[in-house]
Amino acid sequence: LYVNSGSAIVSGGSLMLSGQAGTAINFCFKYPSFIMHAGALSGAAVSGQFFIYSLVKEYGALILACCMNLRQVISILVSYILYVHPISFMQVLGLGLVFGALFYKTYDGYANPKPKASKVADGVQPQEIGKASDAEAGKPGPQE
């Protein structure tokens, strides 16, 4: 929400400062389908951000990286098929090498997770919220 709001403020401000706000509004009135297309594009961007944040929250960044790699591969292949672009052997080899390395990196990170560094000092355990420490509870501590 804050990123999108900030982007709207920067865009609106730049239109105002450049003196092009009137031209932009006239364009919108002249081509009303532009507003529908821009709205659909904005809605798709917002829903994409929602799914990205949800995916990271539920499954982690490695799964997001794998999904994004897969999305790029599918996008490239669909473009070749849909627009009947000729593809050379070197392009196939390049796609295979780049995306193979990306998929391997994602798989390796998922298969061999690195242990997280502990933020707790040696021998000191975090205190539970609402639980009194030994000194507050009247129990003798190591200093007494």
Side-chain angles (χ1 to χ4, degrees), residues 51-126:
F51 286 118
I52 287 171
Y53 292 137
S54 299
L55 191 62
V56 170
K57 183 179 177 184
E58 292 293 323
Y59 301 105
L62 286 174
I63 299 299
L64 172 69
C66 184
C67 289
M68 296 308 278
N69 289 339
L70 186 61
R71 181 194 64 82
Q72 287 176 331
V73 169
I74 291 172
S75 176
I76 290 169
L77 294 177
V78 167
S79 174
Y80 280 129
I81 293 168
L82 190 62
Y83 298 109
V84 194
H85 291 154
I87 184 168
S88 70
F89 173 74
M90 292 303 284
Q91 289 172 319
V92 171
L93 184 64
L95 278 173
L97 287 173
V98 168
F99 288 108
L102 290 172
F103 280 121
Y104 175 75
K105 182 178 177 185
T106 303
Y107 169 77
D108 184 51
Y110 187 69
N112 304 312
K114 295 178 183 174
K116 293 182 180 179
S118 176
K119 295 181 182 179
V120 178
D122 291 334
V124 178
Q125 294 297 321

Side-chain angles (χ1 to χ4, degrees), residues 32-48:
S33 64
F34 168 75
I35 301 223
M36 183 180 66
H37 293 151
L41 184 62
S42 297
V46 168
S47 64

